[in-house]
Coordinates of all heavy atoms in Angstrom, one line a residue:
M1377 N -10.5 28.2 28.8 CA -11.4 29.1 29.5 C -11.8 30.3 28.6 O -13.0 30.7 28.6 CB -10.8 29.6 30.8 CG -11.7 30.5 31.6 SD -13.3 29.7 32.0 CE -13.0 29.3 33.7
R1380 N -14.5 29.3 26.4 CA -15.8 29.3 27.1 C -16.4 30.7 27.2 O -17.6 30.9 26.9 CB -15.6 28.7 28.6 CG -17.0 28.4 29.3 CD -16.9 28.5 30.8 NE -17.0 29.9 31.2 CZ -17.2 30.2 32.5 NH1 -17.3 29.3 33.4 NH2 -17.3 31.5 32.8
A1405 N -26.1 36.3 37.5 CA -25.8 35.9 38.9 C -24.4 35.4 39.0 O -23.8 34.8 38.1 CB -26.8 34.7 39.2
C1406 N -23.7 35.8 40.1 CA -22.3 35.5 40.3 C -21.5 36.0 39.2 O -20.8 35.3 38.5 CB -22.1 34.0 40.6 SG -23.1 33.3 41.9
A1407 N -21.6 37.3 38.9 CA -21.2 37.9 37.7 C -19.7 38.0 37.6 O -19.1 38.3 36.5 CB -21.8 39.3 37.5
G1408 N -18.9 37.9 38.7 CA -17.5 38.2 38.6 C -17.3 39.6 38.3 O -18.0 40.5 38.7
E1432 N -22.7 40.1 42.4 CA -21.4 39.5 42.7 C -21.1 39.7 44.2 O -21.3 40.8 44.7 CB -20.4 40.1 41.8 CG -18.9 39.8 42.2 CD -18.6 38.4 42.3 OE1 -19.0 37.6 41.4 OE2 -17.9 38.0 43.3
L1437 N -14.3 42.5 42.8 CA -14.9 42.2 41.4 C -16.1 43.0 41.1 O -16.3 43.5 40.0 CB -15.2 40.7 41.4 CG -14.0 39.8 41.4 CD1 -14.4 38.3 41.5 CD2 -13.1 40.0 40.2
A1460 N -27.7 34.0 45.7 CA -28.6 32.9 46.0 C -29.9 33.4 46.7 O -30.8 32.7 46.8 CB -27.9 31.9 46.8
M1476 N -26.2 32.3 34.2 CA -25.8 31.5 35.3 C -24.5 30.8 35.0 O -24.4 29.6 34.8 CB -26.8 30.4 35.6 CG -28.0 30.8 36.4 SD -27.6 30.9 38.1 CE -28.9 31.9 38.7
C1477 N -23.4 31.7 34.9 CA -22.1 31.2 34.4 C -21.1 31.1 35.5 O -21.0 32.1 36.3 CB -21.7 32.1 33.3 SG -22.8 32.2 31.9
G1478 N -20.4 30.0 35.6 CA -19.5 29.8 36.7 C -20.1 29.5 38.0 O -19.5 29.7 39.0
V1479 N -21.3 29.1 38.0 CA -22.1 28.8 39.2 C -22.2 27.3 39.4 O -21.8 26.8 40.5 CB -23.5 29.4 39.2 CG1 -24.3 29.1 40.4 CG2 -23.4 30.9 38.9
F1480 N -22.7 26.5 38.4 CA -23.0 25.1 38.7 C -21.8 24.2 39.0 O -22.0 23.2 39.6 CB -23.8 24.6 37.4 CG -25.1 25.2 37.2 CD1 -25.8 25.0 36.0 CD2 -25.8 25.9 38.2 CE1 -27.0 25.6 35.7 CE2 -27.1 26.4 38.0 CZ -27.7 26.3 36.7
G1481 N -20.6 24.7 38.7 CA -19.4 23.9 39.0 C -19.0 24.1 40.4 O -18.0 23.5 40.9
N1482 N -19.6 25.1 41.1 CA -19.2 25.4 42.5 C -20.2 25.1 43.6 O -20.0 25.5 44.7 CB -18.9 26.9 42.6 CG -17.7 27.3 41.7 OD1 -16.6 26.7 41.8 ND2 -17.9 28.2 40.8
I1483 N -21.3 24.5 43.2 CA -22.4 24.2 44.2 C -22.7 22.7 44.1 O -22.3 22.0 43.1 CB -23.6 25.1 43.9 CG1 -24.3 24.8 42.6 CG2 -23.2 26.6 44.0 CD1 -25.5 25.7 42.3
S1484 N -23.4 22.2 45.1 CA -23.8 20.8 45.1 C -24.8 20.5 44.0 O -25.5 21.4 43.5 CB -24.4 20.4 46.4 OG -25.7 21.0 46.6
D1485 N -24.9 19.2 43.6 CA -25.9 18.8 42.6 C -27.3 19.1 43.0 O -28.1 19.6 42.2 CB -25.8 17.3 42.3 CG -24.5 16.9 41.7 OD1 -23.6 17.8 41.4 OD2 -24.3 15.7 41.4
R1486 N -27.5 19.0 44.3 CA -28.9 19.3 44.9 C -29.2 20.8 44.7 O -30.3 21.1 44.3 CB -28.9 18.9 46.3 CG -30.3 18.7 46.9 CD -30.2 18.2 48.3 NE -29.8 19.3 49.2 CZ -30.4 19.7 50.3 NH1 -31.5 19.2 50.6 NH2 -29.9 20.7 51.0
D1487 N -28.2 21.6 44.9 CA -28.4 23.1 44.7 C -28.5 23.4 43.3 O -29.2 24.4 42.9 CB -27.3 23.8 45.4 CG -27.5 24.0 46.9 OD1 -28.4 23.5 47.4 OD2 -26.6 24.6 47.5
I1488 N -27.8 22.7 42.4 CA -28.0 23.0 40.9 C -29.5 22.8 40.6 O -30.1 23.6 39.9 CB -27.1 22.1 40.1 CG1 -25.6 22.3 40.3 CG2 -27.4 22.3 38.6 CD1 -24.7 21.3 39.6
K1489 N -30.0 21.6 41.0 CA -31.4 21.3 40.7 C -32.3 22.3 41.3 O -33.3 22.8 40.6 CB -31.7 19.9 41.2 CG -33.1 19.4 40.9 CD -33.2 17.9 41.2 CE -34.5 17.3 40.7 NZ -35.6 17.6 41.5
T1491 N -31.7 25.4 42.0 CA -31.6 26.7 41.3 C -32.3 26.7 40.0 O -33.0 27.6 39.6 CB -30.1 27.0 41.1 OG1 -29.4 27.0 42.4 CG2 -29.9 28.4 40.4
W1507 N -26.0 29.1 30.7 CA -25.3 28.5 31.9 C -24.0 27.8 31.5 O -23.9 27.4 30.3 CB -26.2 27.6 32.6 CG -26.8 26.5 31.8 CD1 -27.9 26.5 30.9 CD2 -26.2 25.1 31.6 NE1 -28.1 25.3 30.3 CE2 -27.1 24.4 30.7 CE3 -25.2 24.5 32.1 CZ2 -26.8 23.1 30.3 CZ3 -24.9 23.1 31.8 CH2 -25.7 22.5 30.8
T1508 N -23.1 27.6 32.4 CA -21.9 26.8 32.1 C -21.7 25.8 33.2 O -22.2 25.9 34.3 CB -20.7 27.8 32.2 OG1 -20.5 28.3 33.5 CG2 -20.8 28.9 31.2
R1509 N -21.0 24.7 32.8 CA -20.6 23.7 33.7 C -19.5 22.9 33.1 O -19.6 22.5 31.9 CB -21.8 22.7 34.0 CG -21.5 21.5 35.0 CD -21.1 22.0 36.3 NE -21.3 21.1 37.4 CZ -20.5 20.1 37.8 NH1 -19.3 19.9 37.1 NH2 -20.8 19.3 38.8
H1510 N -18.4 22.6 33.9 CA -17.4 21.7 33.4 C -17.9 20.3 33.3 O -19.0 20.0 33.9 CB -16.2 21.8 34.3 CG -16.4 21.2 35.7 ND1 -16.5 19.8 35.9 CD2 -16.6 21.8 36.9 CE1 -16.7 19.6 37.2 NE2 -16.8 20.8 37.8
R1511 N -17.3 19.5 32.5 CA -17.7 18.1 32.3 C -16.8 17.1 32.9 O -16.8 15.9 32.4 CB -18.0 17.9 30.8 CG -19.2 18.6 30.3 CD -19.3 18.5 28.8 NE -18.2 19.3 28.2 CZ -17.4 18.8 27.2 NH1 -17.6 17.5 26.8 NH2 -16.5 19.5 26.7
V1516 N -22.0 16.0 35.3 CA -23.4 16.2 35.7 C -24.3 16.8 34.6 O -25.5 17.0 34.8 CB -23.4 17.0 37.0 CG1 -23.1 18.5 36.7 CG2 -24.7 16.9 37.8
V1520 N -28.2 18.1 34.3 CA -28.5 19.5 34.3 C -29.5 19.8 33.1 O -30.5 20.5 33.3 CB -27.2 20.4 34.1 CG1 -27.6 21.8 33.8 CG2 -26.4 20.3 35.4
H1561 N -33.5 30.8 49.4 CA -32.0 30.9 49.2 C -31.7 29.6 48.4 O -31.9 28.5 48.9 CB -31.3 30.9 50.6 CG -29.8 31.1 50.5 ND1 -28.9 30.1 50.4 CD2 -29.1 32.3 50.4 CE1 -27.7 30.6 50.3 NE2 -27.8 31.9 50.3
W1562 N -31.1 29.8 47.2 CA -31.1 28.7 46.3 C -29.8 27.8 46.3 O -29.9 26.7 46.0 CB -31.3 29.2 44.8 CG -32.6 29.9 44.6 CD1 -33.8 29.6 45.1 CD2 -32.8 31.1 43.9 NE1 -34.7 30.5 44.7 CE2 -34.2 31.4 43.9 CE3 -31.9 32.0 43.1 CZ2 -34.7 32.5 43.3 CZ3 -32.5 33.1 42.5 CH2 -33.9 33.4 42.6
F1563 N -28.7 28.4 46.7 CA -27.5 27.7 46.6 C -26.4 28.2 47.5 O -26.5 29.4 48.0 CB -26.9 27.6 45.2 CG -26.6 29.0 44.6 CD1 -25.5 29.7 44.9 CD2 -27.5 29.6 43.7 CE1 -25.2 30.9 44.3 CE2 -27.3 30.8 43.1 CZ -26.1 31.5 43.5
T1564 N -25.4 27.4 47.8 CA -24.2 27.8 48.6 C -23.0 27.3 47.9 O -22.9 26.1 47.5 CB -24.3 27.1 50.0 OG1 -25.5 27.5 50.6 CG2 -23.1 27.6 50.9
F1565 N -22.0 28.2 47.7 CA -20.8 27.8 47.0 C -20.0 26.8 48.0 O -19.9 27.1 49.2 CB -19.9 29.0 46.7 CG -20.1 29.5 45.3 CD1 -21.4 29.7 44.8 CD2 -19.0 29.8 44.5 CE1 -21.5 30.2 43.5 CE2 -19.2 30.3 43.2 CZ -20.4 30.5 42.7
V1566 N -19.6 25.7 47.5 CA -18.9 24.7 48.3 C -17.4 24.6 47.7 O -16.6 23.8 48.3 CB -19.6 23.4 48.3 CG1 -20.9 23.5 49.1 CG2 -19.8 22.8 46.9
R1567 N -17.1 25.2 46.6 CA -15.7 25.1 46.0 C -15.2 26.5 45.8 O -15.9 27.4 45.7 CB -15.8 24.3 44.7 CG -16.2 22.9 44.8 CD -16.3 22.2 43.5 NE -17.0 21.0 43.7 CZ -18.3 20.8 43.5 NH1 -19.0 21.8 43.0 NH2 -18.9 19.6 43.8

Side-chain angles (χ1 to χ4, degrees):
M1377 184 54 106
R1380 192 205 84 165
C1406 303
E1432 167 56 41
L1437 291 173
M1476 276 284 163
C1477 299
V1479 180
F1480 294 162
N1482 295 307
I1483 65 179
S1484 68
D1485 293 0
R1486 201 175 69 126
D1487 279 2
I1488 297 175
K1489 184 168 187 287
T1491 302
W1507 57 275
T1508 65
R1509 177 61 156 88
H1510 67 73
R1511 288 171 293 129
V1516 76
V1520 170
H1561 187 267
W1562 300 321
F1563 58 80
T1564 303
F1565 267 47
V1566 292
R1567 293 176 196 99

